[in-house]
Amino acid sequence: MYKAFLIKYSEIGIKGKNRYLFEDALCNNIKEALKSCEGDFYVSKEQGRIYVESLTDYDYDEAVSALSRIFGIAAICPVMLLDDKDWDSVCKACIKHVSERYEDKNFTFKVEAKRADKNYIYTSPEIGMHMGAVLLDEFPELKVDVHNPSVRITIEIRKKAYIYSESIKGPGGMPIGTSGKAMLLLSGGIDSPVAGYMIARRGVRLEAVYFHAPPYTSERAKKKVCDLAKLMAKYTGSFRLHVINFTEIQMAIYEKCPHDELTIIMRRYMMRIAEKLARESECLGLVTGESIGQVASQTMQSLNCTNEVCTLPVYRPLIAFDKQDIVEISQKIDTFETSILPYEDCCTIFVAKHPVTKPDISVIRRSETRLDDVIGDMLKTAYDTEEIIEITP
Ligand code: ATP
Ligand code: MG
């Protein structure tokens, strides 16, 4: 029944002169996402709205599911599209729409019309009034409620006629690519994929880095991170995942530094490496899944210590979220089931029984000097052996 979708966009962060940049990015992202769906589509923007028209047969559920993952979309309205917009055809189509879409006709409704074609036989208020009468005639169970209808039937008369009454919620946010790029520290846990999702939803393109510690972390653990990245890519589009071999650095920290400071020092090296990769890839910030107080390395004092080594802004979208709230988002975006698979992550291998919860920066700095002789070469090896994986949805 639906040959097109009207795409309503959410907040337009870039108003005025730059608005077209937002719309063009959204159109491109829609085209890109629909490439992986069955069928051919034509995406166009017209007077502040975006239309997706199907040129061939297509799979409705697949298309809606692809559209509902595109950031910047507030709502998706499946539209009946009529090439022939003479009044009789519009009436017939509108009756068909109500007849097929609403099994139970016991509801209140209102017909709203928008007429872009000023030569049409009726004005917008007339279209609303006349179609209301046509529908009441055909379906006597219907009731009109102009103030608070349960169904709003919209008729737009443009080059073609459009009829729609349904609105499927989109993910909101801003189109990917309208806000620069950031480097996500992606582990195999629950939090970092959610953090990446939230930042990407603001229009930020992602790159990601994963610190791998073979043989302490298995190939399965790395595969799990790639799987998570792939699930994220359904929202963010393709991105690069940098895999850094962290074993040697981790071992050196383990051998030379106080064990209760292990996690903090390790996190500081992760941030340093992530920042270097970020700068090389023209990223404007780092993203982590940290949340105040969640674990010893995420107290305010610990965050102070990890933050100190970076000069780029570190975005922590989950900073004030409870774990349960994070879990709910990860379920919604479908990363949860993969995140809870039991493959060890590189931080759990070397965790101390009693990690410091209130680390003192000057103490940590002093402990790190014990690595002075070896760390330069180790960092160089880590960069030289970096693996880059192209993640696609
Ligand atoms: P997550 O669920 O995201 O793994 P977590 O609760 O396990 O988080 P930590 O292990 O303290 O918390 O990690 C805090 C943040 O540091 C993570 O959210 C992630 O951004 C980053 N991080 C931790 N381990 C790694 C890793 N092996 N590779 C890349 N980033 C990591
Ligand atoms: Mg973790």
Side-chain angles (χ1 to χ4, degrees):
M1 175 154 78
Y2 300 119
K3 282 198 63 186
F5 297 96
L6 164 65
I7 305 296
K8 293 184 174 162
Y9 31 78
S10 43
E11 113 199 44
I12 297 179
I14 314 150
K15 293 203 179 73
K17 269 203 332 257
N18 288 331
R19 178 170 163 157
Y20 76 98
L21 292 173
F22 174 98
E23 293 169 329
D24 288 352
L26 187 52
C27 283
N28 283 333
N29 295 349
I30 292 173
K31 283 180 202 163
E32 201 51 45
L34 289 174
K35 270 188 198 158
S36 60
C37 296
E38 200 186 303
D40 280 333
F41 299 89
Y42 175 66
V43 181
S44 61
K45 59 173 190 176
E46 203 183 303
Q47 293 162 349
R49 31 188 53 204
I50 291 174
Y51 293 97
V52 174
E53 215 178 298
S54 63
L55 303 173
T56 55
D57 280 349
Y58 71 103
D59 181 333
Y60 174 84
D61 292 332
E62 185 189 40
V64 168
S65 132
L67 291 170
S68 59
R69 284 192 301 262
I70 299 174
F71 297 135
I73 295 183
I76 304 149
C77 306
V79 175
M80 272 179 102
L81 184 60
L82 315 178
D83 292 329
D84 178 4
K85 62 183 177 188
D86 73 66
W87 180 244
D88 276 352
S89 310
V90 176
C91 289
K92 272 198 201 118
C94 209
I95 290 170
K96 181 173 147 76
H97 180 85
V98 173
S99 162
E100 291 182 10
R101 175 63 189 79
Y102 302 96
E103 206 173 309
D104 177 6
K105 308 285 187 294
N106 231 317
F107 58 83
T108 58
F109 79 106
K110 175 187 183 183
V111 179
E112 291 175 330
K114 296 194 176 95
R115 188 184 63 148
D117 170 4
K118 297 297 174 202
N119 295 320
Y120 201 66
I121 54 161
Y122 295 132
T123 62
S124 297
E126 285 169 347
I127 294 173
M129 218 166 55
H130 290 313
M131 191 59 81
V134 167
L135 291 175
L136 281 175
D137 228 27
E138 187 72 27
F139 309 107
E141 316 93 291
L142 291 179
K143 278 187 208 66
V144 172
D145 182 345
V146 290
H147 300 296
N148 196 16
S150 48
V151 175
R152 273 170 209 275
I153 300 171
T154 308
I155 300 176
E156 294 185 13
I157 306 290
R158 300 168 176 272
K159 269 195 222 113
K160 298 176 182 179
Y162 300 75
I163 301 170
Y164 56 91
S165 64
E166 201 185 340
S167 179
I168 301 160
K169 203 171 172 340
M174 310 267 282
I176 295 272
T178 53
S179 304
K181 195 158 69 163
M183 181 66 72
L184 168 68
L185 283 83
L186 180 62
S187 69
I190 294 171
D191 305 330
S192 43
V194 173
Y197 166 87
M198 288 177 68
I199 292 295
R201 188 164 172 267
R202 295 308 300 166
V204 177
R205 198 173 282 293
L206 291 184
E207 244 177 74
V209 54
Y210 166 58
F211 296 93
H212 185 39
Y216 302 99
T217 60
S218 62
E219 277 304 302
R220 296 288 295 276
K222 178 174 150 191
K223 164 92 171 32
K224 173 180 163 184
V225 172
C226 291
D227 291 346
L228 283 171
K230 221 171 160 57
L231 291 170
M232 291 177 64
K234 289 188 179 189
Y235 293 91
T236 63
S238 306
F239 64 91
R240 293 203 301 175
L241 172 67
H242 303 253
V243 180
I244 294 287
N245 187 325
F246 203 52
T247 314
E248 209 184 17
I249 295 172
Q250 206 165 357
M251 292 296 291
I253 299 171
Y254 188 69
E255 277 159 21
K256 295 180 190 285
C257 301
H259 284 188
D260 61 346
E261 295 168 7
L262 272 181
T263 315
I264 297 291
I265 296 176
M266 220 169 65
R267 302 272 307 119
R268 281 163 64 97
Y269 277 101
M270 285 186 186
M271 298 301 264
R272 288 181 174 109
I273 295 171
E275 174 156 288
K276 179 170 183 290
L277 298 177
R279 289 194 185 283
E280 285 167 3
S281 321
E282 292 170 347
C283 292
L284 300 172
L286 303 180
V287 183
T288 75
E290 291 159 315
S291 160
I292 294 178
Q294 202 190 75
V295 286
S297 59
Q298 295 176 31
T299 61
M300 295 272 279
Q301 291 82 354
S302 299
L303 289 167
N304 231 353
C305 289
T306 23
N307 207 67
E308 189 210 22
V309 301
C310 304
T311 53
L312 280 177
V314 181
Y315 297 103
R316 299 179 172 95
L318 307 179
I319 199 69
F321 277 47
D322 288 355
K323 192 74 185 188
Q324 188 51 34
D325 302 333
I326 303 170
V327 164
E328 276 164 28
I329 302 178
S330 78
Q331 287 167 332
K332 193 184 84 185
I333 65 173
D334 210 23
T335 51
F336 182 72
E337 294 300 326
T338 306
S339 288
I340 58 172
L341 293 173
Y343 312 117
E344 74 287 11
D345 102 19
C346 78
C347 312
T348 55
I349 298 283
F350 295 100
V351 277
K353 273 217 185 73
H354 300 290
V356 278
T357 52
K358 295 190 176 68
D360 177 331
I361 291 192
S362 53
V363 174
I364 297 288
R365 280 192 211 127
R366 207 176 319 126
S367 302
E368 270 181 5
T369 59
R370 303 186 192 180
L371 300 166
D372 282 351
D373 294 345
V374 292
I375 197 73
D377 286 344
M378 289 182 177
L379 285 170
K380 185 174 181 312
T381 310
Y383 294 126
D384 288 348
T385 57
E386 169 195 22
E387 180 189 1
I388 295 182
I389 302 175
E390 198 64 47
I391 303 290
T392 54

